[in-house]
Amino acid sequence: LAERAFHRDERVRRAVAGALGKIGSTESLEALRHLLNDVEPMVRLQAAQGVDGEWGRGLVMSIAVRLPEESHPDVLREMHLALGRVGTPEAVQVLRGAAAPAKGLLARKSAAARLAAVEGLALAGGAAAAGALQDLLGDADAEVRTAAQRGLSRG
């Protein structure tokens, strides 16, 4: 199945991404890593939707590296949610950085990406994620504050 991650037909790669995510084994990590960087957004989306739990911890850094390059809003959101589903300290750290306001005079961050990161923190749970959400309660962006409050009340 992992060999089909390199198939030329997008539909095949998308189906492979979905199947590998359902299998959820460490053996599927390399193929999913490749699919997270596919040229087609729907393949990347399907791959990110399959990342979950303990076995997905091997993809945290791959997703972290991909986040700044991702331009498709649905894929970007799903990658943040995938980090939340994995919930490791590394994933929470990536989400914390993504949810933080931009620093610097010319720095900008997408509001949608920040909100997706807050949602990922809520999914991750645990003390570190709760601390990050607590810090966001004082954010300048009202939507981020509201999302952080919602995330804290969920846990």
Side-chain angles (χ1 to χ4, degrees):
L1 187 60
E3 291 173 15
R4 298 291 175 239
F6 300 91
H7 197 278
R8 63 183 174 88
D9 189 337
E10 168 198 351
R11 296 169 299 177
V12 173
R13 295 191 312 273
R14 195 172 53 227
V16 167
L20 289 173
K22 286 179 182 161
I23 291 169
S25 69
T26 54
E27 291 81 18
S28 62
L29 288 178
E30 198 55 45
L32 273 171
R33 186 173 289 113
H34 172 74
L35 292 166
L36 284 167
N37 290 294
D38 196 270
V39 298
E40 294 296 330
M42 293 304 106
V43 174
R44 295 193 306 271
L45 179 66
Q46 190 70 49
Q49 286 173 338
V51 177
D52 193 4
E54 185 67 28
W55 71 270
R57 72 182 319 140
L59 294 171
V60 168
M61 291 318 295
S62 296
I63 293 172
V65 168
R66 177 72 196 166
L67 282 175
E69 300 169 9
E70 185 55 58
S71 60
H72 195 281
D74 294 337
V75 178
L76 190 61
R77 180 177 182 277
E78 193 57 46
M79 286 183 170
H80 285 101
L81 296 178
L83 290 170
R85 288 189 302 269
V86 171
T88 62
E90 298 83 11
V92 169
Q93 191 63 35
V94 171
L95 288 167
R96 176 178 273 231
K103 295 190 185 215
L105 191 57
L106 300 175
R108 297 191 67 190
K109 277 190 181 179
S110 149
R114 290 188 68 212
L115 290 170
V118 172
E119 207 174 334
L121 285 167
L123 277 176
L133 290 170
Q134 190 72 39
D135 291 346
L136 292 168
L137 291 176
D139 196 88
D141 186 321
E143 285 185 273
V144 171
R145 288 193 310 267
T146 302
Q149 183 60 52
R150 235 185 352 258
L152 283 169
S153 64
R154 232 201 274 186

